Amino acid sequence: HSANAEDRDFELVSMSEDALADWKEGVEAYKELTTEQIQQMFGLPSPFFPFFNQKQDPSGIHLPWSEEGRAALRSADATALTPFWHQWVGVLKIIDNLMARKNVLLMDQVGVGKTMQSIGAIATYEWLRVVYGQKGCYPDRFGMLGSPARALPGVDHIVICPPNLVEQWTVEIQRYLAWGHFAILPYQG
């Protein structure tokens, strides 16, 4: 028990029916944007999340970072790995909040693509670091979010999950991120 335990305590408050009715998705301001506009806001040279695989192995037999998996991604049988509009918007919201030093919760229902959005946000963070390193500034949108432009620090990204999901997260990271750009260090403790 630390001396600062009181600082960490918080109280869970039940939401009233009225409060639940007012709940917002958090991306209402983005509803008019197209996928192409979002990609332009990130300053991306291609219509994919940065550092992402552009294809996927429809059989899912091989780990994408294995030699066989990389060959499968180059084969004619590989299918496009194309994020949906709501996944682009989710990553934009995460990055907007990150650049404005605000917190964000990603709380969609099962099967909506939170894993892709999380990995996409990590990849986009690293992309913005590359852009800033090359140009000394971010794409216009991110230089205008209220705080002065500063170089994003080179940091490790940590995914915290239950032990039974470590392998699944590792596979999903390899599914989305192109081989050779990131290192994954699974740890169970």
Side-chain angles (χ1 to χ4, degrees):
H1 188 22
S2 91
N4 295 329
E6 302 83 37
D7 295 339
R8 292 190 313 261
D9 289 341
F10 63 94
E11 183 179 328
L12 293 177
V13 178
S14 297
M15 293 181 75
S16 68
E17 290 296 321
D18 290 337
L20 287 173
D22 289 339
W23 185 264
K24 305 281 189 229
E25 291 181 8
V27 294
E28 293 80 14
Y30 307 102
K31 66 182 178 182
E32 301 297 325
L33 295 175
T34 66
T35 300
E36 293 77 21
Q37 289 171 320
I38 295 169
Q39 293 161 353
Q40 289 172 356
M41 288 175 180
F42 287 134
L44 296 174
S46 67
F48 300 96
F49 285 129
F51 310 114
F52 258 46
N53 286 315
Q54 297 178 13
K55 301 277 186 171
Q56 62 185 341
D57 177 9
S59 70
I61 295 173
H62 306 290
L63 287 175
W65 288 10
S66 69
E67 195 171 315
E68 298 86 2
R70 292 193 311 271
L73 294 179
R74 291 188 300 268
S75 77
D77 294 333
T79 59
L81 179 60
T82 308
F84 293 104
W85 176 86
H86 71 274
Q87 292 166 317
W88 280 103
V89 166
V91 170
L92 179 59
K93 178 65 175 185
I94 292 167
I95 298 298
D96 276 354
N97 279 13
L98 176 106
M99 297 300 282
R101 299 180 181 191
K102 295 180 181 177
N103 296 323
V104 65
L105 290 173
L106 188 54
M107 305 183 329
D108 281 322
Q109 59 191 320
V110 173
V112 176
K114 296 180 299 296
T115 303
M116 180 189 272
Q117 290 176 67
S118 300
I119 297 167
I122 291 169
T124 302
Y125 177 97
E126 293 302 326
W127 165 253
L128 291 173
R129 288 187 65 243
V130 168
V131 169
Y132 191 91
Q134 291 174 347
K135 298 181 179 182
C137 63
Y138 298 109
D140 287 343
R141 173 182 189 81
F142 303 106
M144 297 188 258
L145 288 177
S147 62
R150 71 207 185 298
L152 293 170
V155 296
D156 295 327
H157 303 279
I158 301 173
V159 175
I160 299 172
C161 64
N164 62 320
L165 295 180
V166 171
E167 184 177 339
Q168 179 180 340
W169 263 97
T170 301
V171 169
E172 290 295 306
I173 290 169
Q174 290 183 15
R175 173 181 173 209
Y176 295 126
L177 294 176
W179 180 81
H181 293 285
F182 291 85
I184 303 172
L185 303 170
Y187 173 77
Q188 289 183 332

